[in-house]
Amino acid sequence: MREILREVGMIARALDSISNIEFKELELTKGQYLYLVRIFEHPGIIQEKLAEMIKVDRTTAARAIQKLEIQGFIEKKDDESNKKIKRLFTTEKGKLAYPFLKREGDHSNSVALAGITEEEAETLFQLLQRVRKNIEVEWDSVKKGNKRDY
Amino acid sequence: MREILREVGMIARALDSISNIEFKELELTKGQYLYLVRIFEHPGIIQEKLAEMIKVDRTTAARAIQKLEIQGFIEKKDDESNKKIKRLFTTEKGKLAYPFLKREGDHSNSVALAGITEEEAETLFQLLQRVRKNIEVEWDSVKKGNKRDY
DNA sequence: TAAATTTTGTTGCATTTACAGCAATAATAA
DNA sequence: TTATTATTGCTGTAAATGCAACAAAATTTA
């Protein structure tokens, strides 16, 4: 049942492509929406954790976040008890953008699930979550330089 | 059940990241494996269709394929009855690489599906296929410049 | 048939992505 | 406490990505 992962890849690329095209309206360039929604939903998150959450390289996240800050969508705040970390928060501008992002996501979701029942959607979600958790472990390991053998 | 699409994104990015790291061994850079496996499995496909299949921009596909050709993994052959199109085929070098790509994919698959039964995997596949078909239509439309309203 | 449109392939350019490698702080071990 | 290791953030560089815009062939329409 190898094709599962290909379906996932196709869906993800198509959705990402659609979002990127649509969010140009908000002056958001490729990928930025991913970070913005998560910062809104997890105020105070640090960029290292955000990269892990999104499953993207640390340095890619660093630059995407840097740009969001320059554009005024988010701000970095120093932590009082830990000089190393910077906590991320959406600004007013970022908060204003969120409903737009949310609505787009909801729309994509309803298109994606057309003809699929509530129960099926729930099953799909549960299964995907299990797959994600399985892959997550592998990703962490490979990213740290470990070699898989097979 | 909005989170379905996020799970898909996380899984796809993690898997792509793993593949890209592992295929450096074969001198394949980011994303090239996607094209190479499909050309192997669909000899004679043209790049326009390949881009649609993978769900990637036409020009991105064009350059990835160009590079695969320069590296000798694939070759482009003119079509006799249609001067515009170029048919893609794997070379010996490409054919030799395929089993490696296949094995990696199979391994990722088995890791991804750890703890998931045959029946569940089949259900997951069927559901994902339906989601993909739904999204595919939307992607084609947005890529052509159509605006969705919601 | 001729004109208009679509399909297919390219290149220029700006941007994102990610690997290396660095620095500074924090956490852990000796 | 001091030394070692891990975490967090950053920049340089090389490469992929994707939009705009073009050209040429094929297909559709008038």
Side-chain angles (χ1 to χ4, degrees), chain A residues 122-136:
Chain A
E122 181 59 28
T123 302
L124 177 56
F125 177 60
Q126 297 298 336
L127 288 169
L128 282 174
Q129 221 172 1
R130 285 160 68 187
V131 169
R132 189 255 301 163
K133 283 173 187 163
N134 285 337
I135 287 295
E136 200 156 56

Side-chain angles (χ1 to χ4, degrees), chain B:
Chain B
M1 201 34 57
R2 163 95 217 284
E3 311 304 327
I4 286 173
L5 305 184
R6 286 199 196 175
E7 295 292 332
V8 168
M10 287 187 268
I11 296 165
R13 281 186 297 272
L15 282 170
D16 188 53
S17 174
I18 292 171
S19 298
N20 285 326
I21 291 168
E22 298 191 320
F23 294 149
K24 274 191 199 118
E25 244 179 83
L26 290 181
E27 322 270 306
L28 289 173
T29 53
K30 190 163 177 290
Q32 283 187 296
Y33 73 97
L34 294 170
Y35 307 88
L36 185 49
V37 294
R38 261 94 169 178
I39 294 169
F40 181 92
E41 293 171 4
H42 304 273
I45 192 171
I46 65 171
Q47 78 176 35
E48 195 77 14
K49 298 300 163 208
L50 190 47
E52 280 170 35
M53 186 181 276
I54 296 178
K55 265 94 189 95
V56 84
D57 191 79
R58 305 164 57 233
T59 63
T60 303
R63 283 190 241 247
I65 291 164
Q66 205 167 39
K67 191 172 172 190
L68 281 173
E69 190 191 20
I70 291 166
Q71 293 172 293
F73 286 104
I74 62 146
E75 56 186 339
K76 294 180 177 178
K77 286 186 184 162
D78 288 332
D79 188 89
E80 292 133 17
S81 59
N82 188 330
K83 286 176 206 164
K84 206 173 48 177
I85 64 178
K86 293 178 184 177
R87 302 201 168 276
L88 307 172
F89 300 89
T90 44
T91 58
E92 275 313 305
K93 182 178 175 184
K95 291 192 213 311
L96 275 165
Y98 184 78
F100 192 100
L101 305 181
K102 184 89 173 58
R103 198 147 40 85
E104 192 269 354
D106 289 345
H107 179 66
S108 285
N109 197 61
S110 73
V111 169
L113 299 181
I116 290 173
T117 66
E118 279 290 335
E119 286 80 10
E120 287 174 323
E122 181 58 29
T123 301
L124 177 56
F125 177 60
Q126 297 297 336
L127 288 169
L128 283 173
Q129 220 172 1
R130 284 160 68 189
V131 169
R132 189 255 301 163
K133 282 172 186 161
N134 285 337
I135 286 295
E136 198 156 58
V137 177
E138 201 83 345
W139 182 72
D140 286 342
S141 166
V142 173
K143 264 307 219 185
K144 274 177 192 137
N146 297 0
K147 207 168 144 43
R148 312 196 292 177
D149 31 47
Y150 45 89

Side-chain angles (χ1 to χ4, degrees), chain A residues 35 47-48 50-51 56-69 74 76 88:
Chain A
Y35 306 89
Q47 77 177 34
E48 196 77 14
L50 191 47
V56 83
D57 191 79
R58 306 165 56 232
T59 62
T60 303
R63 281 191 241 247
I65 291 165
Q66 205 168 39
K67 191 172 171 190
L68 281 173
E69 190 190 20
I74 63 147
K76 295 181 178 178
L88 307 172

